Amino acid sequence: MTALTRWIRRNLVVIAGLGTLAYLILPNVVVLVFSFNKPNGRFNYQWQRFSTEAWTDPCGVADMCGSLSLSLKLAIWATIGATLLGTMIAFALARYRFRARSAVNSLIFLPMAMPEVVMAASLATLFLNMGVDFGFWTILIAHIMFCLSFVVTAVKARVMSMDPRLEQAAQDLYASPAQTFVRVTLPIAAPGIAAGALLSFALSFDDFIITNFNAGSTVTFPMFVWGSAQRGTPVQINVIGTAMFAVAVLCVLAGQLAGARRKRS
Amino acid sequence: MTATATPDAPPDAAGPVPEPVQKPPLLKPAVRKRLVPYWLLLPGILWLLIFFAAPLIYQASTSVQTGSLEEGFKVTWHFQTYWDALREYYPQFLRSVLYAATATVMCLALGYPLAYLIAFRAGRWRNLVMILVIAPFFTSFLIRTLAWKTILSDGGPVVGALNSLHILDVTSYLGITEGQRVLATPLAVVCGLTYNFLPFMILPLYTSLERIDPRLHEAAGDLYARPITTFRKVTFPLSMPGVVAGTLLTFIPATGDYINAELLGSADQKMVGNVIQSQFLRVLDYPTAAALSFILMAAILTMVTVYIRKSGTEDLV
């Protein structure tokens, strides 16, 4: 018994940490398990019996796959927009000294430090008063706006830690500024840009609060899920949730493997 | 930040950079070179100014407007809205701060061991654990919040276990649950908030723990410090930047969140986010929604400033 208590005491951190990990993973497990449920009624909150119905017919619910593809489209465009604009800002901040640098830094920091509901309501107020029709474009504008800061932060960190002598070496070897940028600077900054892009995609795809205020009658996937919490949750939502988790794990795994291989070579 | 305004500094910020002497005629004029950062900044900063900063200013003017949707709203400097909003919704404000603070403390308590585990004890499992922390980030967080409804459902295993251990009696006595239920109680909402913002606590904690040289632990051990003393005197103080960043990243969004209160709580657990949402999207009372947003923003700014001062890490941001 004392051996056991001693072991527990020595590994207390590990036990507590694994407990937290279980807490983090538990809902994903529930989503997976309940994707095989055949609910009795509109809500999928109680286990009834095993069925693979939802998996064989993932788009069997009206409007769900439409909202899913809309969310994908939005996330792709928001990622492209935010990554482009954010990378440019990051390079300016990491490479140049200029007036208003600290003002720009705070303007980048503020959107990340503000409750989403405040940003959402104020942007919607602006759109309302300018008489803009809510829909795809207002959502896209909002998504690019809040993803931008995260891209800047990710790319800036990478560019700041980069050795400037590499670019000087390229210049010494008669590379033009454009060649230096494409052949040297960009490949080194790429992991930061990729991280920023991945983060924007996830943030945009998953955003509910800002979208809810700026979507009008357009329904993205998170909004569909929100609505279904009131109307009744189809099992297919769990199928999509499980598939997203699997794709995310595979993507991160692939990224890790690629990173490990690069380190080895 | 030392923003030294040296307009004609070379583009490569670090160190004196010798200008390439090979092709002087091709060098751009100094003026054009000086404009490069501004051109890089222009589109992104314009985007933020138009769609982030301007709306906030616009929101300020909306909050002092009166009128109705039919007649239109006019700026009448009606500051009464703020007072009315505060008087009517102070329970929701207090609740938001209380729930968010509790969730932040829970996140710290739960997140610290896991961050510590990844940084020092995971060994070759580090990448896998890291993936398991990040992956939920990429799955719809609304779906995961709905899963909590299943986990905490009446008659479910969690409620059953808590009930048979008589924990629900204690928590009901404390007022954080009600009867035989967990759903639609403060406990459920705080549990959801803790869950949803936990990764925002773990990642900064991990980043600052990872920077700690493990030899410091050995040194502390060599000086006869017990593990708990090592933690208290060495590890925890060195991880303070992560603790501060993590608590901010958890507390700020948790205060404004309305999804957890809506999905896991009842009318008695409404937070200020729920009020702003319903004022804006259902009641269409834009001045009140704007005033509430501003009070929330001001409250958070004040608390964050005080907190950063107290924790003594002004150079964090």
Side-chain angles (χ1 to χ4, degrees):
Chain A
M1 197 58 202
T2 46
L4 181 67
T5 45
R6 207 180 306 136
W7 183 85
I8 289 178
R9 275 184 60 177
R10 195 171 305 145
N11 291 294
L12 204 58
V13 176
V14 178
I15 297 166
L18 290 177
T20 305
L21 199 60
Y23 179 68
L24 271 175
I25 302 297
L26 181 65
N28 290 90
V29 176
V30 170
V31 171
L32 168 71
V33 170
F34 276 76
S35 72
F36 292 105
N37 189 20
K38 183 158 179 59
N40 201 359
R42 288 184 303 143
F43 292 95
N44 184 21
Y45 296 138
Q46 244 143 37
W47 181 258
Q48 303 293 335
R49 59 197 169 84
F50 183 84
S51 153
T52 53
E53 230 167 70
W55 280 92
T56 50
D57 185 21
C59 281
V61 196
D63 305 333
M64 189 185 74
C65 282
S67 69
L68 195 64
S69 73
L70 174 69
S71 273
L72 274 174
K73 204 161 86 181
L74 270 168
I76 289 169
W77 284 113
T79 303
I80 293 172
T83 308
L84 258 174
L85 300 180
T87 305
M88 283 163 70
I89 297 180
F91 269 96
L93 283 173
R95 283 314 184 64
Y96 297 90
R97 295 274 170 275
F98 52 89
R99 268 176 237 276
R101 199 160 171 275
S102 57
V104 169
N105 265 321
S106 0
L107 186 65
I108 299 298
F109 174 72
L110 269 175
M112 295 190 288
M114 191 157 291
E116 270 189 274
V117 71
V118 175
M119 281 195 278
S122 57
L123 185 58
T125 315
L126 185 78
F127 284 146
L128 254 165
N129 281 281
M130 296 194 339
V132 181
D133 285 331
F134 286 95
F136 183 85
W137 291 103
T138 49
I139 307 175
L140 183 61
I141 285 171
H143 282 201
I144 292 178
M145 181 269 286
F146 75 79
C147 290
L148 199 53
S149 304
F150 291 92
V151 176
V152 175
T153 315
V155 178
K156 200 176 93 183
R158 180 78 191 178
V159 178
M160 293 271 245
S161 66
M162 171 175 163
D163 192 341
R165 283 174 300 186
L166 290 170
E167 285 169 320
Q168 289 160 28
Q171 302 267 351
D172 286 347
L173 295 166
Y174 296 103
S176 69
Q179 278 175 317
T180 312
F181 182 77
V182 174
R183 309 281 291 265
V184 180
T185 317
L186 210 54
I188 298 177
I193 299 174
L198 203 62
L199 199 58
S200 326
F201 186 86
L203 287 170
S204 162
F205 189 76
D206 206 18
D207 180 75
F208 174 73
I209 296 183
I210 290 179
T211 314
N212 191 28
F213 276 80
N214 291 291
S217 56
T218 312
V219 177
T220 63
F221 183 65
M223 289 175 71
F224 179 85
V225 178
W226 173 264
S228 77
Q230 268 101 41
R231 291 190 313 266
T233 43
V235 187
Q236 277 80 355
I237 280 181
N238 291 46
V239 173
I240 304 296
T242 309
M244 276 161 74
F245 184 70
V247 169
V249 171
L250 286 179
C251 282
V252 184
L253 267 178
Q256 295 257 354
L257 284 179
R261 187 172 302 161
R262 197 171 306 133
K263 217 173 275 171
R264 228 177 293 133
S265 63
Chain B
M1 271 300 152
T2 47
T4 41
T6 45
D8 41 16
D12 304 276
V17 184
E19 291 288 332
V21 279
Q22 287 88 358
K23 28 184 184 172
L26 283 176
L27 269 182
K28 289 172 184 169
V31 180
R32 269 180 69 183
K33 212 166 193 178
R34 235 182 341 177
L35 286 175
V36 171
Y38 296 105
W39 284 117
L40 283 172
L41 287 170
L42 191 69
I45 292 304
L46 267 183
W47 200 282
L48 281 182
L49 284 176
I50 298 173
F51 299 119
F52 171 74
L56 286 177
I57 297 164
Y58 207 85
Q59 178 94 310
S61 94
T62 307
S63 71
V64 290
Q65 287 175 350
T66 44
S68 65
L69 206 59
E70 294 80 39
E71 301 159 16
F73 292 93
K74 274 196 198 73
V75 178
T76 50
W77 302 105
H78 189 261
F79 283 105
Q80 185 73 23
T81 314
Y82 279 86
W83 179 240
D84 291 343
L86 251 180
R87 206 176 38 195
E88 195 170 347
Y89 298 110
Y90 76 91
Q92 282 85 346
F93 271 109
L94 289 180
R95 204 175 286 139
S96 296
V97 173
L98 188 69
Y99 285 4
T102 316
T104 306
V105 172
M106 294 274 292
C107 279
L108 188 59
L110 289 170
Y112 208 104
L114 184 53
Y116 191 97
L117 170 79
I118 305 171
F120 299 120
R121 303 286 288 271
R124 62 204 175 95
W125 299 104
R126 181 191 274 202
N127 283 350
L128 180 72
V129 180
M130 208 58 190
I131 290 172
L132 290 177
V133 172
I134 299 170
F137 238 136
F138 289 82
T139 27
S140 176
F141 100 93
L142 276 168
I143 298 183
R144 286 178 286 127
T145 310
L146 282 179
W148 279 104
K149 242 177 147 143
T150 309
I151 298 168
L152 301 174
S153 64
D154 310 334
V158 174
V159 171
L162 290 176
N163 208 8
S164 60
L165 292 168
H166 296 288
I167 292 174
L168 282 186
D169 297 338
V170 181
T171 50
S172 301
Y173 180 74
L174 292 172
I176 55 175
T177 59
E178 249 181 70
Q180 310 293 303
R181 299 199 74 190
V182 172
L183 273 184
T185 65
L187 182 68
V189 178
V190 171
C191 174
L193 285 171
T194 307
Y195 169 76
N196 275 320
F197 296 107
L198 198 48
F200 295 92
M201 179 66 88
I202 293 173
L203 294 177
L205 277 178
Y206 165 72
T207 316
S208 66
L209 282 171
E210 199 212 9
R211 284 199 199 122
I212 299 175
D213 191 334
R215 282 174 298 184
L216 288 172
H217 293 161
E218 291 167 26
D222 288 347
L223 296 166
Y224 296 103
R226 291 172 14 165
I228 186 80
T229 318
T230 309
F231 176 75
R232 206 164 45 85
K233 297 248 174 168
V234 180
T235 317
F236 191 73
L238 285 173
S239 70
M240 264 322 267
V243 174
V244 174
T247 41
L248 290 179
L249 283 177
T250 317
F251 180 76
I252 297 173
T255 320
D257 180 82
Y258 60 83
I259 294 165
N260 289 283
E262 178 82 29
L263 294 181
L264 302 171
S266 69
D268 293 332
Q269 281 83 44
K270 290 273 182 277
M271 294 165 69
V272 63
N274 301 75
V275 181
I276 296 176
Q277 190 239 13
S278 84
Q279 291 291 325
F280 196 98
L281 294 175
R282 273 184 232 145
V283 187
L284 307 178
D285 182 354
Y286 303 120
T288 303
L292 284 166
S293 310
F294 260 84
I295 299 170
L296 175 65
M297 213 166 68
I300 286 180
L301 268 177
T302 316
M303 284 185 284
V304 165
T305 314
V306 170
Y307 175 70
I308 292 180
R309 285 267 163 76
K310 281 254 175 339
S311 58
T313 37
E314 282 99 336
D315 52 355
L316 186 79
V317 292

